[in-house]
């Protein structure tokens, strides 16, 4: 989560909402890819930290199936990102701060664990939650 927090800080420096993500290999320690929000930087509404990290991990591994991998992200994934995580077949999603307004991993929705879908990653929430939430609060307070 510390690496994801570092990515989130990069997003804030670029004027984007401070969300950072890291994809870990099946061994749980090797970092396959990193990402942070780049919506403002690139003018791309899909440039969320999770989507960018998953794309980069797929490129690094040479396959879209990220079976055995873990995505670590500072903020609970939204519906778009939750869908991407299900489609990429990550085994585990670890997130920091809950997103009661748009979260899709247990808060507002629970897309990643919807029994109607063919893949349901494990979800671990609240890791470094206060630190992750503080980054977001500070960012929006300054705005």
């Amino acid at each position: 989560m510390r690496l994801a927090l570092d990515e989130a800080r990069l997003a804030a420096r670029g004027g984007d909402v401070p969300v950072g993500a890291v994809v870990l290999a099946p061994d749980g320690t090797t970092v396959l890819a990193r990402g942070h929000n780049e919506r403002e930087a690139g003018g791309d509404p899909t440039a969320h930290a999770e989507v960018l990290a998953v794309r980069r991990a797929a490129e690094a591994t040479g396959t879209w199936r990220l079976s055995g991998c873990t995505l670590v992200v500072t903020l609970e994934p939204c519906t778009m990102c939750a869908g991407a995580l299900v489609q990429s077949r990550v085994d585990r999603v670890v997130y920091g701060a809950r997103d009661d307004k748009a979260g899709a991993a247990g808060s507002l929705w629970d897309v990643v664990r919807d029994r109607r879908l063919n893949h349901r990653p494990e979800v671990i929430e609240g890791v470094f939650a206060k630190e992750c939430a503080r980054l977001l609060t500070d960012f929006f307070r300054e705005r």
Side-chain angles (χ1 to χ4, degrees):
M1 186 60 79
R2 291 187 198 286
L3 295 174
L5 282 163
D6 290 343
E7 287 293 318
R9 289 182 191 98
L10 291 174
R13 282 189 215 121
D16 274 285
V17 176
V19 177
V22 176
V23 177
L24 301 175
D27 66 11
T29 57
T30 304
V31 175
L32 293 176
R34 302 167 189 244
H36 57 270
N37 278 358
E38 296 181 26
R39 292 182 306 169
E40 297 296 332
D44 179 355
T46 68
H48 288 204
E50 302 95 309
V51 170
L52 295 174
V54 164
R55 284 179 187 159
R56 292 169 184 158
E59 185 176 330
T61 61
T63 180
W64 62 268
R65 285 188 173 94
L66 299 178
S67 301
C69 295
T70 299
L71 177 105
V72 180
V73 62
T74 58
L75 180 65
E76 179 181 1
C78 69
T79 54
M80 176 184 69
C81 294
L85 297 172
V86 169
Q87 291 301 315
S88 68
R89 310 297 197 267
V90 297
D91 277 9
R92 191 172 302 99
V93 177
V94 177
Y95 72 83
R98 286 177 60 94
D99 187 350
D100 292 325
K101 293 180 180 177
S107 298
L108 187 57
W109 295 288
D110 202 353
V111 172
V112 294
R113 291 180 286 200
D114 189 318
R115 293 194 177 275
R116 296 168 292 183
L117 299 175
N118 65 336
H119 180 74
R120 292 178 297 279
E122 173 187 10
V123 176
I124 300 168
E125 65 178 270
V127 178
F128 286 69
K130 289 181 183 176
E131 293 87 340
C132 295
R134 187 176 315 118
L135 269 179
L136 291 159
T137 301
D138 291 349
F139 177 81
F140 287 113
R141 196 175 280 147
E142 289 177 18
R143 292 235 176 228

